[in-house]
Amino acid sequence: MPRPSDTKQRIQEVARELFAQQGVQRTSLQEIADRLAITKPALYYHFSSREELVRSIVQPIIDEEEAFLVAQEALGEVEPRALLEGYFDFHYRNRREIVLMLSELTTLADLGLIDLVLEWRGRLGKLLHGPEPTLEQAARAVIAFGGIQDCTIQFATVPQDELRRVAVDGALAALTIKPPRKPARKA
Amino acid sequence: MPRPSDTKQRIQEVARELFAQQGVQRTSLQEIADRLAITKPALYYHFSSREELVRSIVQPIIDEEEAFLVAQEALGEVEPRALLEGYFDFHYRNRREIVLMLSELTTLADLGLIDLVLEWRGRLGKLLHGPEPTLEQAARAVIAFGGIQDCTIQFATVPQDELRRVAVDGALAALTIKPPRKPARKA
DNA sequence: ATGATTACTTACCTATCGTTAAGTCAGATA
DNA sequence: TATCTGACTTAACGATAGGTAAGTAATCAT
């Protein structure tokens, strides 16, 4: 049986599935091994530790989000709708991994996920409202981006195009700030 | 040292703190006991199991959210702003516990939290848009309520009144649905 | 045919965790 | 003074999980 094998990929597939189903912490190496009809130490041939297996699944998502942000920041001027749509597509594509990351933030603390998520939200807000947004602007950004994230998780079965429309529309609506007072009727 | 002791409350305080800091799953009974300078089995005098300790912290929040929903549903007609403000206040008051519940959904699966959260979102949506909302309406509700939740977590240090204003304004903005086409100028 | 390499298996170790049984001891009760 | 109860401690158990050491069968290069 030796020589090139796709076992490493198959381990990751099974891990992704079990992690999504029952959580990272509640999934043991034994369970992953059983599902593949191999032994636990076989996993150690492909991954040096449990943590490395977890990281191999989560890290690509982190890298992709990071790359997305860097690309948008390099653009200089951002068009809100395009930014939100890009953000949506990224989250829709990786919704399985993202939900497991978000619903186990503390478990994955070793990866520094908590700080990363907070940092990303800050950077996203600055893309929309400049380097020093007001509290109101920051809140709107959190609602908009968080809302898109929630939509990809909550409505995971809705087709991408349809969901993108309603999610991005909703996020844009959340961003529109009405002038503070003065009804300004029939302006 | 016998006779009335406040140890049970002190255990819960320490547990709340450690759970919030490093997660429920990553906090062992040993750690809680050490922090209180008592022994691990002493915890079992006050709580019949680890799960019961966790539940004693999480369950009141669940009950409160349930009660909030029941009360709102009983009202018949709901005013969106009032609903959102009530929702905000509940989440602001319990933000520490709520963040630990949300960031460990899978770990707390025994409590049926995942299904509960999904159910709550559905009921909140129906409060705003009736028993059978469109996808667009459902998405807006998810963005609005999720956004309020995110705000209480993200801006945990902002005073309650100030944050409530911006969070609820943002949520309301997310709820306003523009007519699909036809600019309908000067209607 | 031989040696090296790949891809594992068998067997085992150890640490930790939740949990329990049994004992201790200060103070309230009688 | 004797007894009972509340509030623990000491000691230990069983399960499980991550991890390792050593061996083995199949394949490739030489």
Side-chain angles (χ1 to χ4, degrees):
Chain A
M1 194 188 287
R3 271 299 114 115
S5 86
D6 59 341
T7 306
K8 186 164 185 173
Q9 282 71 31
R10 291 174 53 231
I11 293 171
Q12 289 173 320
E13 277 167 38
V14 167
R16 242 186 294 265
E17 193 183 325
L18 290 178
F19 288 169
Q21 262 178 38
Q22 53 189 9
V24 176
Q25 194 76 16
R26 299 175 87 93
T27 303
S28 66
L29 296 183
Q30 190 65 58
E31 216 173 337
I32 297 172
D34 286 351
R35 183 74 69 106
L36 287 162
I38 61 175
T39 59
K40 196 171 52 166
L43 300 178
Y44 281 85
Y45 180 79
H46 299 282
F47 300 93
S48 69
S49 69
R50 181 195 147 94
E51 195 189 329
E52 201 205 296
L53 167 58
V54 175
R55 177 171 255 123
S56 81
I57 289 171
V58 171
Q59 193 68 44
I61 314 294
I62 294 177
D63 293 343
E64 199 181 330
E65 173 125 21
E66 186 65 33
F68 172 75
L69 272 169
V70 168
Q72 292 292 330
E73 284 165 348
L75 249 59
E77 196 105 351
V78 293
E79 209 251 319
R81 171 152 233 130
L83 173 61
L84 292 171
E85 283 179 349
Y87 190 76
F88 171 88
D89 285 337
F90 163 66
H91 275 81
Y92 189 90
R93 189 171 352 108
N94 303 111
R95 57 192 184 275
R96 290 237 332 225
E97 289 80 6
I98 288 175
V99 70
L100 82 81
M101 286 165 65
L102 292 180
S103 61
E104 227 154 341
L105 274 182
T106 56
T107 291
L108 304 173
D110 312 320
L111 307 180
L113 255 188
I114 297 171
D115 294 331
L116 263 183
V117 168
L118 290 179
E119 188 205 309
W120 286 337
R121 288 199 176 173
R123 286 165 72 184
L124 284 166
K126 281 169 188 163
L127 277 172
L128 286 177
H129 299 120
E132 277 179 40
T134 65
L135 174 63
E136 181 163 38
Q137 290 174 325
R140 297 305 185 91
V142 164
I143 296 171
F145 290 111
I148 286 178
Q149 202 168 66
D150 286 350
C151 280
T152 62
I153 294 167
Q154 185 89 6
F155 308 110
T157 61
V158 174
Q160 182 165 4
D161 290 336
E162 194 182 348
L163 186 57
R164 177 173 39 220
R165 234 198 52 241
V166 301
V168 171
D169 281 355
L172 281 171
L175 286 175
T176 66
I177 299 181
K178 281 190 279 191
R181 274 298 114 193
K182 294 172 188 170
R185 64 177 60 198
K186 280 181 182 169
Chain B
M1 195 187 286
R3 273 299 114 108
S5 86
D6 60 340
T7 306
K8 187 164 184 171
Q9 281 71 30
R10 290 173 56 229
I11 292 172
Q12 289 174 320
E13 277 167 37
V14 167
R16 242 186 294 265
E17 192 184 324
L18 289 178
F19 287 170
Q21 263 177 36
Q22 53 189 12
V24 176
Q25 194 76 15
R26 297 174 86 94
T27 302
S28 66
L29 296 183
Q30 190 65 58
E31 218 173 335
I32 296 172
D34 287 350
R35 182 75 68 107
L36 287 161
I38 61 176
T39 61
K40 198 170 49 165
L43 301 177
Y44 280 84
Y45 179 80
H46 298 283
F47 300 93
S48 69
S49 70
R50 180 197 147 94
E51 196 188 330
E52 201 205 296
L53 167 58
V54 174
R55 179 172 252 124
S56 80
I57 289 170
V58 171
Q59 193 67 45
I61 315 293
I62 294 177
D63 293 342
E64 198 181 331
E65 173 126 20
E66 187 65 33
F68 172 76
L69 272 170
V70 168
Q72 293 290 331
E73 284 164 349
L75 249 58
E77 195 103 355
V78 292
E79 209 253 317
R81 170 152 233 130
L83 173 60
L84 293 171
E85 283 180 347
Y87 190 77
F88 172 88
D89 285 337
F90 162 66
H91 274 82
Y92 189 90
R93 189 171 351 108
N94 305 110
R95 57 191 185 275
R96 288 237 333 224
E97 288 80 7
I98 287 175
V99 70
L100 81 81
M101 285 165 66
L102 292 179
S103 61
E104 225 153 341
L105 274 183
T106 56
T107 291
L108 303 173
D110 312 319
L111 307 180
L113 255 187
I114 297 171
D115 294 332
L116 263 182
V117 168
L118 289 180
E119 188 205 308
W120 285 336
R121 287 198 177 172
R123 287 165 72 185
L124 284 166
K126 280 168 190 165
L127 278 171
L128 286 177
H129 298 120
E132 278 179 41
T134 65
L135 174 64
E136 182 163 36
Q137 289 174 325
R140 296 307 183 93
V142 164
I143 295 171
F145 289 111
I148 284 178
Q149 203 169 65
D150 286 350
C151 280
T152 62
I153 293 167
Q154 185 90 6
F155 308 110
T157 61
V158 174
Q160 182 165 4
D161 290 336
E162 194 182 348
L163 186 57
R164 175 173 40 220
R165 236 200 50 242
V166 300
V168 171
D169 280 355
L172 280 171
L175 286 175
T176 67
I177 298 181
K178 280 189 278 190
R181 276 297 113 193
K182 293 173 188 169
R185 63 178 60 198
K186 278 181 182 164

